[in-house]
Amino acid sequence: MGKFGWAYIGNGNIARSTANDIMKGEHKIVSVYGRNIQKARAFAEKYGATAFDDFERAVMCDGVDAVYIATPHTSHLEYAIRAMKLGKPVLCEKPVGVSFDEAQKMIETAKSENVYFCEAMWTWFSDVALTVKKWVLGGEIGDVKDVQINYAFPGILMPKTSRVLTPETAGGALLDIGIYPITYCYNLFGYPKTISCKGKIKNGIDLGETVILGYDGFNCTLNMSLCKLKEDCLIKGSKGSVSLPVFFHMASKAILKNENGRQTFSGKTDYLTEFSRAAEEIKQGKMQSDYIPFRATLDCLKIMDECRRQMKLVYPFEK
């Protein structure tokens, strides 16, 4: 069997990062769609693909097995639905939409068209995160008592026109980076009993927030910021702890400490694993991912909707 063929929708930073990774495996980029045809052609030339300024032609190009959407999240709804209505499986960058309602429309389309749809949340395709889940849910640290996750990067230093800093593209800390710690807690513990969010809004975006997700007997305290650099995770239990020096960005190590001593799991969090596992699910004829099921995508966006409500964060296109 030949390499798995992708149609790339978008050719920016995340598209280049994923492309560099997946070309190491059994994947090929067949076509690239971009509104700027010159940029699309430069991308296509680098990765041996064909560039299009017509969406349908890119998606329906011979050899395309699935569509990968790597545009700003404000355009995911349109592109994902159009691709699925053309009968193509879709792997869509996180967050799949700006809100719960958008995600629900995409998932309803996937069901009605009987086609695979999945959020490209690489963390939960990774054996590092899956091992953490096995340890915590398997009782290796006893009853969970406290969870602290920090994720920050100096996005404030990016150009003012960056999508991360632009209200019109739903920029800000919550949707761009907050989705990672929120999804991490959700995948470990499910939907929280309570949600509390306090953030700082400036120029129409959230520069950072502290989100507290309340569960029976413990809280997950999540700190996100575009103004500094920090990333770690510590899960404390009655009999031990699990820590990750880096929980998201290329996470390669998880550390378990309990009455039996210290155990370290080393693995990869990379785009190649994500794309390969998604491709395998598509080839198996699945409609949704075992790694990122529809309910997880919907629930995490529901949590973020509530955070935005508490911060009174409304994007210009929602007014």
Side-chain angles (χ1 to χ4, degrees):
M1 183 176 291
K3 292 188 175 184
F4 193 89
W6 294 92
Y8 262 52
I9 309 304
N11 48 73
N13 291 335
I14 187 63
R16 288 191 293 272
S17 295
T18 57
N20 289 335
D21 226 4
I22 71 170
M23 297 299 279
K24 302 171 187 174
E26 292 301 308
H27 302 270
K28 61 182 177 181
I29 301 172
V30 175
S31 61
V32 181
Y33 166 76
R35 290 180 298 175
N36 184 320
I37 190 61
Q38 285 76 27
K39 289 184 178 179
R41 283 173 179 158
F43 184 96
E45 183 177 352
K46 182 174 181 180
Y47 299 106
T50 302
F52 294 92
D53 58 5
D54 181 279
F55 178 86
E56 183 168 338
R57 288 180 63 204
V59 170
M60 299 307 291
C61 185
D62 286 346
V64 169
D65 296 305
V67 174
Y68 169 59
I69 298 174
T71 58
H73 32 259
T74 43
S75 61
H76 289 177
L77 177 64
E78 175 194 351
Y79 290 140
I81 287 179
R82 287 175 67 187
M84 288 187 284
K85 285 189 173 181
L86 290 170
K88 293 296 184 181
V90 171
L91 180 64
C92 183
E93 266 306 328
K94 58 78 201 168
V96 296
V98 173
S99 64
F100 173 91
D101 288 343
E102 286 196 357
Q104 191 169 45
K105 288 176 183 176
M106 287 180 253
I107 288 169
E108 286 174 353
T109 301
K111 291 178 178 179
S112 65
E113 298 296 327
N114 199 32
V115 67
Y116 181 91
F117 176 75
C118 180
E119 183 174 24
M121 176 60 68
W122 73 341
T123 309
W124 288 98
F125 283 95
S126 162
D127 289 329
V128 177
L130 295 174
T131 297
V132 170
K133 186 172 185 176
K134 182 178 71 173
W135 284 344
V136 172
L137 300 189
E140 293 288 350
I141 61 171
D143 296 330
V144 176
K145 297 298 183 182
D146 184 64
V147 180
Q148 299 276 338
I149 302 180
N150 298 296
Y151 185 27
F153 83 103
I156 196 69
L157 301 179
M158 299 175 75
K160 299 291 185 187
T161 56
S162 167
R163 65 163 183 82
V164 177
L165 302 178
T166 306
E168 289 75 14
T169 53
L174 183 67
L175 290 188
D176 201 70
I177 63 175
I179 187 171
Y180 289 107
I182 287 171
T183 301
Y184 215 93
C185 286
Y186 176 86
N187 273 276
L188 292 176
F189 311 116
Y191 201 86
K193 302 280 187 181
T194 59
I195 302 167
S196 172
C197 177
K198 293 183 178 180
K200 180 181 180 182
I201 297 176
K202 184 177 180 180
N203 298 327
I205 65 165
D206 55 311
L207 295 180
E209 50 271 317
T210 294
V211 176
I212 301 175
L213 305 180
Y215 294 89
D216 288 334
F218 68 96
N219 290 331
C220 292
T221 302
L222 318 176
N223 299 300
M224 290 80 77
S225 175
L226 295 177
C227 301
K228 54 187 177 181
L229 181 63
K230 188 171 186 180
E231 181 184 348
D232 55 33
C233 172
L234 177 61
I235 305 167
K236 294 181 180 178
S238 58
K239 297 180 180 179
S241 67
V242 172
S243 62
L244 295 99
V246 176
F247 89 97
F248 153 69
H249 190 70
M250 306 295 285
S252 61
K253 182 167 66 174
I255 302 165
L256 168 66
K257 294 180 181 178
N258 59 16
E259 56 194 6
N260 298 318
R262 174 188 169 114
Q263 181 180 341
T264 299
F265 177 85
S266 297
K268 280 186 176 182
T269 299
D270 61 352
Y271 298 116
L272 178 56
T273 301
E274 173 189 34
F275 275 66
S276 295
R277 289 182 168 172
E280 187 58 34
E281 289 185 324
I282 291 168
K283 287 186 284 187
Q284 290 171 1
K286 294 186 176 182
M287 296 298 106
Q288 67 174 304
S289 175
D290 292 337
Y291 300 95
I292 315 290
F294 292 157
R295 177 47 55 189
T297 294
L298 289 170
D299 280 350
C300 289
L301 272 164
K302 189 175 181 181
I303 293 169
M304 290 193 289
D305 279 0
E306 174 59 19
C307 290
R308 285 211 288 138
R309 187 193 69 79
Q310 292 184 23
M311 290 190 288
K312 297 180 171 60
L313 177 60
V314 180
Y315 301 117
F317 52 86
E318 296 176 315
K319 296 177 180 177

